[in-house]
Amino acid sequence: MSRIVLARMGQYMVLFALFMVAVSLAYNSAFEYSRRSQPSAAGTLDVKVPYYLAHTGEYGIIFMGDSRTLTDIHPALLEATPGWPRALKSFNLGHWAHWLPTQYALFHNIADHIPPGTIVVWSIGHRNFEMQQLKAAWPVGWQGIPLMLRLGYDPADVISNQFAFTPALALPAQRAKIWNKIDSLMQTPLVFLNAPPAARETARVAEDGMSRFRTAPDAYFVKPWRDEHGRLVSVEEYGTDGSYLRTEIDPPYYRAKQREDLAARNEPPLKFFTPAPASMTLFRDILDLCRAKKIRLVVNEFEEAPYIYTRPAAKSAYRAFMRDTVQPEVERYGFPYVRIDFDRFNDADYFDYNHMNSTGVKNFTSLFAPALLDSVKKTYPDAF
């Protein structure tokens, strides 16, 4: 191949790279920058965290964790609990697919900005100790890349995480989201012409009922969820306290979805649960950080929906790991550990495999609020 051809190919590659950077910057300016530049109490972490950091003095307690924290812990319901101290106004910093790698980064990013005396409730479960995929919930930062690679996380996921939060590189990291959105739009009819008249009428009636969700005092953003016939099956609300609430309009639809999920699962026999070394490293590092920064940490344990545990031995193995390994480690650092009785929940308390619906959230709050307050009073008696 001649030098001229190679030179021309090099020029084209440079031009293509510059084109991708320009498109990424345009995408970021049009969609991401305007959103991220306006901190909000509701939405994704990249807007909730700046909002919290600008209002830290307003909150006496914050909740950290993955999507179970986001969906299951509802500040408005906690604060409505009889006996809940006014000093413990709360904010939810949970997020979808926000697992230990990105939780580690977020703890390090905000630890120095959490006011002294603030209670930090960190919720985890046995799933967090598997080798979970590193997602773009929060940036691990360029300085965090070597650690994540050393711990064994997929290099493509590590780089994609950072690209998602770098304006000039955002578009390649968002390609899956963009194509999924396009695919969803292509498959969604403008009008549900194929739905039977009864289903269309149900959809109209349900849509009228959406007004009660939109006018809720703590609702910031409300979205309907529909089935393939256009029927409204549930409503999601993002609240002004950082929370998320899913209300089922058609509970049988979600029980059927859970049965479908169960039929597709093939859980292997399990007598002992072995955590991923990377997860244990990040777990202990977060505990180290909280102790070093004198953060008033409370660790809360979560479980999955009951149907997930298809084998009693597996459920016992997971619980044994949390109680014999995780809880003692937390207490060794001097932090309290909270665990409510999850045997009091059933599948109807969840809208999928481990996220609670509005009924489950109310049941969870009735157990969690007194357990949390009791733990805080014993460990941090001057908190309120």
Side-chain angles (χ1 to χ4, degrees):
M1 189 176 295
S2 69
R3 292 182 178 180
I4 296 177
V5 173
L6 288 173
R8 184 60 57 86
M9 289 179 62
Q11 291 174 353
Y12 285 145
M13 291 177 67
V14 170
L15 288 173
F16 179 75
L18 291 174
F19 172 77
M20 290 302 298
V21 168
V23 173
S24 292
L25 287 171
Y27 167 81
N28 193 76
S29 298
F31 300 103
E32 297 296 322
Y33 178 76
S34 60
R35 179 178 64 81
R36 291 175 177 170
S37 64
Q38 300 176 5
S40 170
T44 51
L45 282 178
D46 52 5
V47 294
K48 287 202 301 185
V49 171
Y51 179 88
Y52 168 70
L53 294 178
H55 299 82
T56 54
E58 299 178 15
Y59 300 101
I61 184 169
I62 59 174
F63 298 97
M64 305 276 284
D66 57 27
S67 54
R68 290 168 300 181
T69 293
L70 176 66
T71 62
D72 300 0
I73 298 180
H74 206 280
L77 293 179
L78 287 172
E79 292 168 22
T81 301
W84 187 269
R86 294 183 63 182
L88 293 187
K89 183 177 179 175
S90 52
F91 193 74
N92 189 318
L93 285 172
H95 190 60
W96 307 105
H98 182 37
W99 297 315
L100 284 182
T102 50
Q103 289 181 35
Y104 163 89
L106 180 56
F107 264 102
H108 277 268
N109 290 156
I110 72 171
D112 288 329
H113 304 284
I114 299 173
T118 301
I119 304 298
V120 178
V121 180
W122 180 29
S123 296
I124 53 177
H126 70 267
R127 294 292 184 198
N128 295 112
F129 293 91
E130 298 172 349
M131 191 62 175
Q132 294 177 301
Q133 188 177 7
L134 199 164
K135 295 284 192 175
W138 183 258
V140 298
W142 293 104
Q143 72 280 5
I145 290 177
L147 171 63
M148 296 304 159
L149 294 176
R150 190 164 62 249
L151 290 175
Y153 288 98
D154 188 325
D157 292 336
V158 176
I159 298 300
S160 181
N161 169 276
Q162 191 57 28
F163 276 22
F165 296 93
T166 304
L169 303 170
L171 190 62
Q174 299 294 329
R175 62 191 183 280
K177 181 193 295 186
I178 294 170
W179 280 115
N180 286 340
K181 183 65 176 178
I182 293 173
D183 185 62
S184 176
L185 290 172
M186 293 295 290
Q187 295 185 41
T188 302
L190 295 177
V191 181
F192 293 99
L193 298 176
N194 296 327
R200 292 201 297 270
E201 179 61 23
T202 300
R204 282 193 290 270
V205 172
E207 183 64 25
D208 291 340
M210 284 282 290
S211 60
R212 72 182 179 90
F213 293 97
R214 295 192 178 101
T215 57
D218 61 341
Y220 181 88
F221 173 77
V222 178
K223 174 186 173 182
W225 282 78
R226 300 178 181 277
D227 67 5
E228 61 275 15
H229 299 299
R231 291 188 315 111
L232 188 68
V233 293
S234 67
V235 176
E236 68 175 12
E237 303 169 66
Y238 282 90
T240 55
D241 47 21
S243 65
Y244 174 97
L245 190 67
R246 180 75 75 91
T247 301
E248 294 180 0
I249 305 299
D250 184 4
Y253 172 84
Y254 284 95
R255 303 296 79 76
K257 287 295 184 183
Q258 288 175 330
R259 288 192 294 272
E260 290 176 13
D261 183 38
L262 175 60
R265 290 180 178 271
N266 184 24
E267 186 177 25
L270 180 70
K271 293 183 178 180
F272 304 99
F273 175 73
T274 302
S279 297
M280 290 301 297
T281 296
L282 295 174
F283 166 64
R284 292 191 176 104
D285 186 277
I286 293 173
L287 293 177
D288 278 326
L289 175 70
C290 291
R291 184 168 62 181
K293 299 294 183 180
K294 295 182 170 54
I295 291 174
R296 293 187 166 190
L297 184 70
V298 177
V299 176
N300 171 58
E301 181 183 332
F302 269 133
E303 283 193 0
E304 315 291 291
Y307 81 88
I308 292 296
Y309 305 101
T310 57
R311 300 174 187 268
K315 189 172 190 176
S316 297
Y318 293 135
R319 286 183 171 179
F321 166 72
M322 295 300 293
R323 293 174 182 176
D324 298 341
T325 301
V326 176
Q327 181 174 352
E329 189 74 357
V330 170
E331 293 172 343
R332 184 175 70 83
Y333 277 82
F335 299 124
Y337 190 90
V338 174
R339 185 191 188 281
I340 63 167
D341 183 7
F342 279 93
D343 287 334
R344 297 176 63 173
F345 293 84
N346 57 56
D347 294 335
D349 289 307
Y350 299 79
F351 65 85
D352 59 7
Y353 55 92
N354 70 356
H355 303 106
M356 291 182 183
N357 54 34
S358 57
T359 300
V361 169
K362 290 177 182 177
N363 294 337
F364 173 78
T365 302
S366 68
L367 299 174
F368 179 60
L372 177 59
L373 287 181
D374 182 62
S375 178
V376 171
K377 286 177 181 178
K378 289 178 179 177
T379 313
Y380 310 111
D382 60 340
F384 48 86

